Amino acid sequence: MSMNMYTGFTRLCKGLAVVLVGGHIVVQILPSALSYLALIPAKTDIQGGGGGGSMTVKMGATPVMVATIPFAWNLITAGYTEQTVYGAIISTIGLLFLGKLLEPIWGSREFLKFIFIINFLTSVFVFITAISLYYVTRLEIYLYMPISGFQGVLSGFLVGVKQIMPDQELSILKLKAKWLPSLALLFSIAISFFTADSVSYLPTILFGTYLGWIYLRYWQKKPETKLKGDPSDEFSFSSFFPEFLRPVIDPIATIFERMLCGRRSETSKEERGYTLGGSTLPGSDPIEASRRRERGARALEERLAAELLAAGKKGEESERDVDDNV
């Protein structure tokens, strides 16, 4: 079984893994390429030509450097550019194993769509955060620190695992899968107190987790029901927190939901299929969410059973070979 754990990776995940490894090799061989691939908020293309730069304006009598729009491709390429070998290894392994679990359930097209959207939006919000931190602190490190890595998408993947199989117990960690995103966030925040460059990865992980939840909660389309999102209580924002904190988190989350979603949050029951004209619609989202989690658990069980069967057959063949040799 141990050998079969390292097989069965999807073709799409293998291709993306090549991109991650290739991006890391490029920045190691050509360090100057990092300034064109990573997200550096101060890098701009205000002349519309080839060179990037920054723009200086006067605020009173003091000239102040202002970063406007980064190279457009940075918002996409940054997520696939790992600067360290450790980052490349973790991202590649995480992509292969989490993708092996999620892609068969979501489908290749939806899986790729999730990666693209979460990667792009995470880069946008990280850029805004870096600019905001610069204006607050006036520290130019926030403008010139190269930010890159696949950790935002990996954080979103963990949210996907939480959604499809929340009660699946992980034998290695001895905890349920629903706590994986929260545990990863907690670990990242704890590490940030002991590292000087936490701004290069912590915002990416935070936004990757939150945007992954936003996408799966409100935007992901369900072709079988023609509905969007997962409004189940088990996937609410407060479900990322311990039980005793949820009475405090729920009212705050509701306020932000109404601010961000407007009328959508007020009419969510009708839009998502709870009721229509007083009658329950077939395939309503709470039921669909439950079915999706059941499919996820069943897919995991079938994969484990297949690996066990393959390991058993391999063992039998080895025994036959030994007997034949004897």
Side-chain angles (χ1 to χ4, degrees):
M1 179 180 176
S2 58
M3 291 298 296
N4 285 277
M5 286 179 61
Y6 304 101
T7 60
F9 302 122
T10 67
R11 184 178 300 177
L12 175 59
C13 287
K14 290 178 181 178
L16 291 172
V18 171
V19 173
L20 291 177
V21 174
H24 172 68
I25 292 174
V26 167
V27 297
Q28 295 303 309
I29 297 176
L30 299 171
S32 60
L34 186 63
S35 63
Y36 293 94
L37 297 175
L39 178 64
I40 303 176
K43 298 282 289 184
T44 60
D45 195 11
I46 57 177
Q47 298 177 357
S54 56
M55 181 173 63
T56 302
V57 298
K58 278 193 173 183
M59 296 182 65
T62 306
V64 176
M65 183 176 294
V66 178
T68 53
I69 302 174
F71 288 125
W73 61 81
N74 291 161
L75 297 172
I76 298 174
T77 59
Y80 308 104
T81 306
E82 290 291 350
Q83 300 180 43
T84 67
V85 63
Y86 302 107
I89 292 173
I90 292 173
S91 294
T92 302
I93 293 175
L95 168 64
L96 290 174
F97 279 93
L98 294 176
K100 179 181 177 181
L101 181 63
L102 294 173
E103 187 184 343
I105 297 173
W106 288 351
S108 298
R109 183 176 180 180
E110 177 63 26
F111 183 74
L112 188 61
K113 179 182 175 183
F114 179 88
I115 292 175
F116 179 82
I117 291 177
I118 300 306
N119 176 54
F120 176 75
L121 291 181
T122 297
S123 295
V124 170
F125 279 94
V126 167
F127 170 72
I128 295 172
T129 300
I131 297 299
S132 301
L133 288 172
Y134 166 72
Y135 279 116
V136 171
T137 64
R138 296 298 177 183
L139 296 176
E140 292 189 356
I141 186 175
Y142 295 120
L143 292 181
Y144 294 100
M145 176 179 288
I147 302 172
S148 65
F150 200 64
Q151 60 266 24
V153 176
L154 290 182
S155 301
F157 283 166
L158 293 180
V159 178
V161 173
K162 168 186 172 68
Q163 181 196 38
I164 63 174
M165 49 181 62
D167 297 321
Q168 183 70 39
E169 186 169 325
L170 305 174
S171 56
I172 299 177
L173 300 176
K174 300 297 182 183
L175 83 163
K176 293 184 177 180
K178 65 181 179 181
W179 295 116
L180 281 177
S182 304
L183 187 64
L185 277 176
L186 186 62
F187 179 76
S188 301
I189 293 172
I191 291 296
S192 68
F193 289 104
F194 304 98
T195 56
D197 60 343
S198 59
V199 70
S200 66
Y201 65 86
L202 187 57
T204 306
I205 294 174
L206 289 170
F207 285 120
T209 301
Y210 185 66
L211 291 169
W213 176 76
I214 287 289
Y215 180 88
L216 296 173
R217 178 75 168 177
Y218 301 108
W219 299 343
Q220 189 180 52
K221 293 182 180 180
K222 312 294 188 308
E224 61 272 23
T225 60
K226 298 182 180 180
L227 299 172
K228 289 184 179 181
D230 180 358
S232 62
D233 293 337
E234 294 83 0
F235 197 56
S236 64
F237 184 73
S238 63
S239 68
F240 288 82
F241 298 86
E243 192 74 33
F244 69 91
L245 289 177
R246 293 180 187 178
V248 179
I249 300 296
D250 276 329
I252 300 174
T254 300
I255 294 173
F256 278 96
E257 181 178 4
R258 289 176 179 173
M259 290 173 57
L260 295 173
C261 302
R263 289 185 60 190
R264 177 178 170 80
S265 63
E266 297 174 6
T267 60
S268 59
K269 285 190 176 182
E270 289 187 2
E271 289 181 350
R272 295 172 192 162
Y274 281 102
T275 59
L276 183 62
S279 60
T280 303
L281 286 176
S284 61
D285 250 18
I287 298 175
E288 174 56 31
S290 177
R291 289 175 178 168
R292 184 167 53 253
R293 284 190 290 272
E294 290 175 2
R295 287 199 301 270
R298 187 165 59 251
L300 180 61
E301 291 173 359
E302 290 174 353
R303 187 171 293 114
L304 291 175
E307 291 174 353
L308 280 171
L309 182 60
K313 288 182 177 179
K314 190 172 183 180
E316 291 177 0
E317 291 175 358
S318 299
E319 290 178 1
R320 291 196 192 102
D321 292 338
V322 171
D323 294 338
D324 291 340
N325 292 331
V326 173

